[in-house]
Amino acid sequence: MNFGQPAGVALVIGSGGGLGAALVAQLSGAAGAPERFQTVLALGRNSLPAIDYGDEASLKSAADWVAVQCAEQQLELRLIVVASGFLHGPQGQPERSFSQLDAGYLTHVFQVNTIGPALVMKHFLPLLPRQGRCVAAFLSAKVGSIGDNALGGWYGYRASKAALNQLVKTASIEMTRRNRQSVCVALHPGTVDTALSQPFAKTGLKVRPAEEAASDLVNVLKGLTPADTGSLLDYQGVTLPF
């Protein structure tokens, strides 16, 4: 993966989840994966510093910390992967009907899936270099595609991911103005064997281990070019409709 010479720094936000942790391992060369970055930084709710999407000050503090790490190591931040996400939990479950729409669930799902990543854009994208290849990737979902929606349901999750896709598209335009070699994409990881998807893994649905999904996503990241910026791609590198 050519993220510049030297390879520089990669950052994974949402590293406490199953897929986020697997991405950290892949990018740092653990578990037999080829080493790709000199430094891999991992941030999440339980990291030091911690990130809380409900507290913007925590994102600013974390971004300042990342800037210090890069400066001390004299390396540039070349990759940001945002692997956080929310589908179900004590705050609520995905809706089967509009009769189940709930303000509390909608607020939380948008906070995690849309507002949080938007604040990541605000505080972390300025850390990417203005020259040379750099990538910002945000984990989205195929069900966030408006054009691909043939089944209905899951109102909040679908809408929050569709909004994330629009944020990614918009940020990609601004990033290109700053650095013509930059790439900003939304990625669909498929159905991964994590706590997020386990209650909804149906018989016959392809569910992959987090390590396999992370490897697939890293391969997609490896092949991205500026022509891909602003796109929603799946784990095979196929462009999906917005």
Side-chain angles (χ1 to χ4, degrees), residues 44-132:
R45 288 176 296 176
N46 299 313
S47 62
L48 290 175
I51 283 183
D52 178 358
Y53 283 165
D55 177 14
E56 184 176 350
S58 74
L59 282 95
K60 183 181 185 305
S61 295
D64 291 343
W65 176 81
V66 170
V68 169
Q69 303 308 305
C70 292
E72 289 182 347
Q73 298 180 48
Q74 297 184 324
L75 296 173
E76 291 182 311
L77 180 63
R78 290 286 172 180
L79 173 66
I80 299 172
V81 181
V82 178
S84 53
F86 174 80
L87 174 60
H88 63 92
Q91 298 84 358
Q93 299 291 321
E95 313 90 342
R96 294 186 177 90
S97 165
F98 46 64
S99 64
Q100 297 175 329
L101 286 166
D102 175 79
Y105 175 78
L106 287 171
T107 298
H108 188 74
V109 76
F110 269 86
Q111 184 75 59
V112 177
N113 293 344
T114 312
I115 298 172
L119 295 176
V120 169
M121 293 174 179
K122 175 181 177 179
H123 293 287
F124 288 86
L125 294 188
L127 303 181
L128 293 170
R130 287 181 173 268
Q131 293 183 328

Side-chain angles (χ1 to χ4, degrees), residues 27-39:
L27 295 168
S28 61
E35 185 173 356
R36 291 176 168 87
F37 289 88
Q38 288 171 273
T39 299

